[in-house]
Amino acid sequence: MSGFDFNGLTASFDGERVIGPLSFRINEGEHVGLVGKSGAGKSTLIRLLYDRLDGKASLVPQGLGLVNALPVFHNVFMGQLDQHGTWYNTLTLIRPFRRDKDAIRALLTELGIPEKLWIPAAALSGGQRQRVAIARALYRQAPTLLADEPISALDGPMAQQVMTMLTNQFTTSIVALHDVEMALAHCTRIIGIQDGQIALDQPASELTAADISVLY
Amino acid sequence: MFAYPTVRASFIFLAVALLGLLVADIAITTANPWQDLGRFFLGVATPNFFSTEGLLTALLRTVAFAFVGVTLGSICGFLLALVYRFLPVRIFCAFIRAIHELFWALIFLQFFGFHPLTGVLAIAIPYAGIFAKVYSEILEEADPEPGRLLPPGTSSIAAFLYARIPDCWVQMRTYTAYRLECGLRSSAILGFVGLPTLGFYLESSFSQGLYSDAGAMLILFYVLIATMPLWLRPKLLPVYVLAAPFFLGDGLPIVWGNVERFFTEDIIPSPIRDGEGLAAIWAWLSDVLITEALPGIWNTVVLTQIALVATGILSLLAFPLISNHFGGPVRRTSGHVFLVIARSTPEYILAYILLQLWGPSMLPAVVALALHNGGIIGHLIGRQTNTIHLRPDAPVGFSRYSWELVPRIYRSFLAFLFYRWEIIMRETAILGILGIYTLGFYVDSAIQNIQFDRAMVLILITALLNIGVDALGRFIRRKLALQTMPTC
Amino acid sequence: MAISNLRKWLATGLLSLAAATTVQADTFVFTAIPDEDETKLVERFRGVADYLQEQLDVEVRYIPVKSYAAAVSAFRNNQVQLAWFGGLSGVQARRLVPGSEAIAQGVEDEAFETYFIANTSTGIQPADSLDELEDELRGKTFTFGSKGSTSGRLMPEFYIRDVFNEAPDSLFSRVGFSGNHTRTLRLVEAGTYEVGALNFQVWEKELENGNIDTDAVQVIWRTPTYPDYQWTIRGDVDERFGDGFKQKMTEALLNLDDPALLESFPRSGFIPASNDDYEPIRATAENIGILD
């Protein structure tokens, strides 16, 4: 069964080791929830994993990485820039094709913001921006997802719906979450990070919220 | 207070300028300078808009040259900005922008003559160098994250268009519009060397003492610049850019043989051209260096340092004119008008006017440079003070100025000042054409004597001097940790 | 939208480049050194252009330039085919354009003079020879005309160097270049400069027209005579405008007898000239280093 082996992951800031060295394996089909208190190194780990995968995964970083001056449509479309030729992409900047418009509008409808299609990203609220970044990750249709707190600015029902969408569409996912309940509900495996090391690694079904709270 | 590096730096520059004043040639040599000044202001107050039949045409040409030159410069500058990380490109850009528009015009006049291309290239070339630098700075500051998130295999063009350009677009547009305003000024002064723009008629009217005619031209020019936000609409821009080339005038046809001759004969140092051997070349070069370059450099540096400090002092005096923290709306409005006029008038024209009125010395040049550049910096930091919120019980009057505002804006003030150091030096050199003994004087003399080889050596020296000051200015700004935005 | 604007910019920019190189029909173009007030020059030479057009049956256009060097360059670059040069600018131009010829000069140009003038506040009295004025001139401010002028720069500088054996900027406290003769007159009259040197014809004409405040400025010395202004034509005009064109042009200039036009120069008439007439000017220019 295919999957990813991550060996000897390390990261340092100003000469101080913040991650690792740590190694683990992610199997295809697993949905991993990364938990741990803030500053434990989750974001750094997500970034490391993205680099290890040579960018061959959809990423939702904490900063979202939206192009503020571009409308929502183009921010989402950027997920598939590799699928088209340069001319197609350039024309799309000026006048998008119907096919792409329909696809992206459908995606936004599922995320509850279809009316924002032509609004520049700069003019959106935090929650809306987060959904645009998620839409971009979904639109990219990579098999693997790396996401760093993708639902931090979403309210309850929407957060549930987004997590469901993410775990449904991506074969494999690694999602950093501070909401333990959410992690237990949507992930199949939980990895707990403490001081840059793996402090916990078990199937979600074997854990309760209390087991995880020792990390905080 | 001397513990602050910024204060120490200020006093060092002040001391250098004071030393400069000791050796500088500062005088009013006219018998009746105030009478002439009075006549000039009377002329501005009683403008005669119908004196020259060519006035409207000249205005149109001024706009046309500015549009074509700036458009061409911004396109080339943009392309250069894409490869700006390569050292040779950076050196090339520093070099082409170190040579003033008027020098470029004087060079092109020698082989393109009075063809529109002379004026277009004279603006486009140095502007391309400036655009390259500023565009690349803007592009570098764009958020790199969206680019990192793109799927692998995205073409670099698409990545650039989607992840880089959109975030820089507004800043680039603002800067380009600002440059267009500069382009109008550059275009106007090209008339002083014979191109059919406003300066052509301005020079004639002035030299003949027709102050009402000159006043009318200046007023039209201010109106043109002040109303830019009204007529410079993004939607109309393509129309302007398309139409501009057709309003450059015919000029005279280019004879291409002249171009070849210029590069293969005219600018080759005469001893090489005549095959006189190494000793003769050395003698020729040392003659140029000792009798022209050295005095030129000395005067240029002295004048630059005095003008720089005068600019600083004037900026600090002028910014309260438009600051919300002082005076009522009436005074602020008149302050705005004063600063708009000061910064809209090209220093070359200001210097020309003052030279006519006060007679030849460095004084008119210092005042002209200080008025123009002080107007710009005063405007920028005055605007900046309007974003400062003082506590309700803050002192008023001079104490407010000296305790509350100056300390807060001093760093950005210095940043602007050092940023403009190189610009002031470029202008100082060019003012020599008006008869002040800076490098421009010797360049102009060499051209008047049809010695283009000498002129080229002197222009190269001027360019190197500018590059040196630019580097020094950047070094000082880095040392003092001063930051500045490029739209200055 | 932002990007579409950018693309429009790019497209229009390229078009403008293509449009900037238009060429026009074959017109005979001439110029003149800007030695006097421009309004006067334009008036004078438009008259000449009309006259020549009538006589020669080609389209004739006058273009004003801003400096002596620009006139020489335009002539050298074949953008103008004929020019009214001063002695020095003519020598420069003919050296640069082999085959070009001086074809006519004013009657007065055979024996031209430079006047040294002084503001009366200096108290300098007219003298017959320059060396008598040494004490009075030393330390004064002084203006030439244009850097490339014969009567406004070359000859006065030559006599200053010759008589006092030193450079102008060591004799005078300040040396300037006013740009043209009218301006020299105005600057000395106003006291901007104490002493100046100018074309004697400009002085005489302004005096006659009542444009000089003789209480403020007076002539203090006159140079010996020398050859000055002339019409110089390119050698290749026959090829371009037809055989015998140069000859016809010469005759047209020599036959110019419209009193109003002549008065505007001011010359009483035009007489034949040759390159050799200006040999003394060349020698003087080389002597003081203006020519290599």
Side-chain angles (χ1 to χ4, degrees):
Chain A
M1 191 173 154
S2 65
F4 313 107
D5 278 307
F6 297 108
N7 293 315
L9 293 168
T10 59
S12 306
F13 278 126
D14 292 332
E16 201 174 328
R17 177 69 53 91
V18 290
I19 287 283
L22 46 84
S23 305
F24 56 90
R25 177 180 168 76
I26 305 281
N27 294 314
E28 192 178 323
E30 276 185 326
H31 295 292
V32 179
L34 276 184
V35 295
K37 60 183 176 187
S38 48
K42 289 175 301 194
S43 297
T44 315
L45 184 56
I46 293 276
R47 178 71 66 184
L48 268 178
L49 296 180
Y50 184 67
D51 291 342
R52 280 291 173 95
L53 294 176
D54 291 329
K56 290 193 193 87
S58 285
L59 175 67
V60 182
Q62 213 163 21
L64 303 180
L66 299 182
V67 180
N68 287 322
L70 283 182
V72 169
F73 171 85
H74 291 101
N75 268 290
V76 177
F77 182 79
M78 283 170 76
Q80 283 192 10
L81 282 179
D82 59 334
Q83 308 286 315
H84 308 287
T86 300
W87 278 112
Y88 188 93
N89 289 334
T90 311
L91 283 175
T92 300
L93 259 186
I94 298 159
R95 199 187 163 79
F97 293 91
R98 171 177 291 273
R99 194 159 48 119
D100 302 322
K101 280 194 288 197
D102 291 346
I104 289 173
R105 189 179 287 116
L107 199 50
L108 293 177
T109 309
E110 273 190 81
L111 289 163
I113 47 169
E115 76 283 1
K116 302 292 182 193
L117 190 59
W118 303 113
I119 308 291
L124 299 179
S125 72
Q128 291 165 342
R129 290 169 62 82
Q130 207 161 38
R131 278 177 275 173
V132 174
I134 289 162
R136 181 186 58 207
L138 288 168
Y139 190 64
R140 186 167 160 186
Q141 291 168 348
T144 311
L145 170 73
L146 292 167
D148 191 0
E149 302 287 358
I151 52 167
S152 58
L154 302 181
D155 54 19
M158 182 49 73
Q160 296 287 353
Q161 189 187 330
V162 165
M163 281 309 290
T164 310
M165 280 174 79
L166 290 178
T167 41
N168 283 347
Q169 184 180 321
F170 292 98
T171 322
T172 311
S173 69
I174 304 168
V175 182
L177 289 166
H178 68 277
D179 186 332
V180 174
E181 299 289 345
M182 197 66 83
L184 288 172
H186 291 276
C187 301
T188 58
R189 177 179 166 193
I190 303 292
I191 295 181
I193 305 291
Q194 201 168 31
D195 299 329
Q197 296 290 344
I198 295 177
L200 176 94
D201 186 355
Q202 282 181 31
S205 53
E206 296 170 11
L207 288 166
T208 64
D211 299 328
I212 300 173
S213 66
V214 297
L215 295 170
Y216 290 86
Chain B
M1 207 163 76
F2 281 93
Y4 295 104
T6 45
V7 176
R8 274 205 304 271
S10 309
F11 275 96
I12 291 171
F13 272 82
L14 186 64
V16 170
L18 288 175
L19 283 178
L21 275 180
L22 293 179
V23 294
D25 167 28
I26 299 281
I28 292 182
T29 55
T30 324
N32 292 312
W34 305 113
Q35 183 194 331
D36 272 332
L37 203 60
R39 279 174 53 212
F40 167 62
F41 282 117
L42 188 69
V44 175
T46 57
N48 173 11
F49 291 97
F50 305 101
S51 57
T52 320
E53 43 183 308
L55 190 52
L56 270 186
T57 319
L59 212 59
L60 203 63
R61 299 246 190 284
T62 306
V63 178
F65 274 105
F67 262 104
V68 180
V70 174
T71 306
L72 199 59
S74 71
I75 292 168
C76 299
F78 181 77
L79 296 176
L80 286 168
L82 301 181
V83 287
Y84 201 71
R85 60 183 177 278
F86 299 113
L87 187 66
V89 177
R90 283 210 299 280
I91 293 174
F92 173 74
C93 289
F95 179 72
I96 59 174
R97 69 171 178 265
I99 297 176
H100 193 279
E101 299 92 270
L102 271 184
F103 281 145
W104 282 113
L106 285 172
I107 293 172
F108 288 120
L109 270 176
Q110 306 315 324
F111 51 89
F112 287 153
F114 294 99
H115 187 276
L117 211 52
T118 296
V120 168
L121 292 179
I123 297 176
I125 291 180
Y127 278 47
I130 299 168
F131 274 126
K133 176 176 166 219
V134 174
Y135 283 167
S136 83
E137 280 169 8
I138 295 176
L139 287 172
E140 244 170 56
E141 278 167 26
D143 181 9
E145 181 80 345
R148 279 207 290 266
L149 294 176
L150 293 174
T154 303
S155 77
S156 52
I157 295 177
F160 185 72
L161 287 179
Y162 275 78
R164 200 48 47 128
I165 287 286
D167 267 344
C168 305
W169 180 252
V170 172
Q171 248 188 307
M172 286 170 61
R173 200 181 54 190
T174 311
Y175 184 75
T176 311
Y178 164 74
R179 269 283 138 197
L180 186 65
E181 187 189 321
C182 301
L184 284 170
R185 283 198 287 270
S186 302
S187 172
I189 64 162
L190 288 182
F192 279 78
V193 294
L195 289 150
T197 61
L198 204 60
F200 190 97
Y201 298 97
L202 200 61
E203 200 256 2
S204 309
S205 305
F206 245 106
S207 61
Q208 297 173 60
L210 306 172
Y211 294 128
S212 291
D213 297 8
M217 292 174 205
L218 284 175
I219 288 172
L220 281 179
F221 187 65
Y222 296 139
V223 170
L224 184 73
I225 288 189
T227 57
M228 270 179 76
L230 295 178
W231 54 267
L232 193 64
R233 299 276 175 186
K235 280 211 161 65
L236 291 175
L237 206 55
V239 180
Y240 290 134
V241 172
L242 264 182
F246 299 99
F247 291 95
L248 295 172
D250 290 338
L252 295 171
I254 292 177
V255 181
W256 290 100
N258 297 328
V259 182
E260 191 191 332
R261 185 206 62 214
F262 183 80
F263 287 104
T264 56
E265 291 173 32
D266 291 0
I267 61 171
I268 308 295
S270 60
I272 299 182
R273 209 173 3 182
D274 304 340
E276 288 170 10
L278 218 58
I281 295 169
W282 179 240
W284 178 86
L285 197 63
S286 57
D287 180 52
V288 176
L289 290 181
I290 290 166
T291 61
E292 291 167 355
L294 281 181
I297 291 172
W298 173 251
N299 286 323
T300 306
V301 170
V302 167
L303 181 47
T304 302
Q305 292 315 111
I306 297 173
L308 182 74
V309 170
T311 299
I313 293 172
L314 194 82
S315 318
L316 288 177
L317 291 178
F319 84 81
L321 289 178
I322 63 160
S323 174
N324 286 341
H325 300 287
F326 303 96
V330 177
R331 208 182 82 192
R332 276 203 301 279
T333 307
S334 41
H336 269 294
V337 171
F338 170 73
L339 288 188
V340 164
I341 290 181
R343 68 172 196 273
S344 304
T345 318
E347 42 281 69
Y348 193 82
I349 291 179
L350 269 176
Y352 180 81
I353 294 172
L354 294 173
L355 267 170
Q356 301 291 309
L357 301 177
W358 293 347
S361 82
M362 284 189 182
L363 182 67
V366 170
V367 174
L369 289 164
L371 271 177
H372 175 76
N373 294 293
I376 291 175
I377 300 178
H379 169 78
L380 288 169
I381 57 177
R383 245 182 10 186
Q384 200 173 338
T385 60
N386 293 345
T387 62
I388 298 175
H389 293 287
L390 296 180
R391 63 198 151 90
D393 60 339
V396 293
F398 186 69
S399 302
R400 165 170 294 194
Y401 173 81
S402 56
W403 286 91
E404 296 286 345
L405 292 179
V406 171
R408 290 178 205 207
I409 49 93
Y410 201 73
R411 293 180 67 80
S412 49
F413 156 73
L414 275 190
F416 288 134
L417 194 61
F418 283 124
Y419 187 85
R420 289 203 80 80
W421 192 7
E422 180 228 356
I423 300 171
I424 291 176
M425 176 164 276
R426 239 158 54 94
E427 287 293 334
T428 303
I430 208 76
L431 291 180
I433 296 179
L434 296 174
I436 304 154
Y437 288 77
T438 59
L439 280 161
F441 176 85
Y442 297 98
V443 172
D444 181 57
S445 298
I447 288 176
Q448 293 299 324
N449 292 343
I450 323 282
Q451 293 167 328
F452 302 126
D453 46 352
R454 276 173 180 259
M456 285 313 268
V457 171
L458 292 166
I459 288 178
L460 285 181
I461 289 173
T462 311
L464 291 178
L465 192 63
N466 281 326
I467 292 174
V469 164
D470 188 25
L472 190 59
R474 254 181 298 133
F475 173 77
I476 293 176
R477 275 186 286 157
R478 205 170 47 235
K479 267 271 181 242
L480 299 177
L482 303 171
Q483 286 195 334
T484 164
M485 50 228 180
T487 33
C488 163
Chain C
M1 214 193 71
I3 301 301
S4 63
N5 276 343
L6 175 76
R7 287 175 54 82
K8 276 180 213 156
W9 261 75
L10 284 172
T12 43
L14 288 175
L15 274 173
S16 22
L17 239 177
T21 40
T22 47
V23 188
Q24 55 176 37
D26 222 15
T27 306
F28 185 83
V29 188
F30 75 100
T31 190
I33 49 170
D35 61 334
E36 276 187 76
D37 278 358
E38 198 167 285
T39 336
K40 289 176 196 157
L41 295 179
V42 170
E43 197 181 313
R44 174 196 303 169
F45 290 108
R46 282 205 183 139
V48 175
D50 290 344
Y51 168 79
L52 291 177
Q53 184 155 326
E54 203 177 290
Q55 298 287 312
L56 297 168
D57 222 23
V58 289
E59 203 185 324
V60 180
R61 179 171 161 206
Y62 160 71
I63 59 147
V65 292
K66 282 286 181 196
S67 73
Y68 284 48
V72 175
S73 289
F75 184 80
R76 179 191 194 196
N77 290 342
N78 202 8
Q79 291 192 317
V80 304
Q81 291 79 45
L82 173 77
W84 174 243
F85 282 128
L88 175 60
S89 41
V91 169
Q92 285 172 326
R94 289 190 295 274
R95 264 166 54 118
L96 294 168
V97 183
S100 58
E101 268 179 67
I103 52 173
Q105 62 182 348
V107 174
E108 290 78 358
D109 290 306
E110 278 188 299
F112 216 77
E113 287 175 44
T114 293
Y115 285 178
F116 279 59
I117 58 173
N119 190 286
T120 45
S121 67
T122 59
I124 302 176
Q125 290 305 312
D128 288 331
S129 92
L130 190 56
D131 54 2
E132 293 168 30
L133 293 173
E134 176 161 4
D135 293 340
E136 284 95 330
L137 290 179
R138 189 165 295 284
K140 295 287 187 295
T141 60
F142 178 86
T143 186
F144 289 113
S146 164
K147 286 171 188 167
S149 168
T150 310
S151 53
R153 197 270 173 98
L154 177 66
M155 297 317 287
E157 176 162 350
F158 171 76
Y159 283 109
I160 289 167
R161 285 177 186 273
D162 192 47
V163 172
F164 302 112
N165 211 9
E166 58 185 310
D169 52 7
S170 82
L171 175 68
F172 299 108
S173 63
R174 184 188 296 281
V175 174
F177 293 91
S178 72
N180 68 46
H181 302 296
T182 325
R183 216 176 302 167
T184 301
L185 172 55
R186 297 292 160 234
L187 290 176
V188 177
E189 190 178 51
T192 308
Y193 286 97
E194 294 169 304
V195 185
L198 85 172
N199 172 329
F200 85 119
Q201 286 286 2
V202 171
W203 172 274
E204 296 292 352
K205 188 167 154 235
E206 292 289 301
L207 191 65
E208 192 182 307
N209 295 342
N211 291 336
I212 300 180
D213 176 2
T214 46
D215 291 335
V217 59
Q218 63 171 340
V219 176
I220 54 167
W221 185 64
R222 302 161 182 221
T223 62
T225 62
Y226 54 85
D228 204 344
Y229 292 77
Q230 85 296 145
W231 289 102
T232 293
I233 194 164
R234 286 182 61 94
D236 51 13
V237 285
D238 283 0
E239 289 164 35
R240 190 158 157 200
F241 294 93
D243 274 345
F245 185 86
K246 190 195 290 178
Q247 189 53 37
K248 277 196 286 181
M249 175 61 75
T250 311
E251 280 160 18
L253 288 170
L254 296 178
N255 294 335
L256 200 162
D257 57 1
D258 176 354
L261 264 187
L262 285 172
E263 176 56 28
S264 73
F265 272 86
R267 298 290 186 273
S268 48
F270 290 109
I271 54 173
S274 74
N275 293 2
D276 292 340
D277 294 343
Y278 293 89
E279 196 51 29
I281 297 293
R282 191 194 56 74
T284 310
E286 278 182 9
N287 183 313
I288 68 171
I290 293 179
L291 285 180
D292 291 325

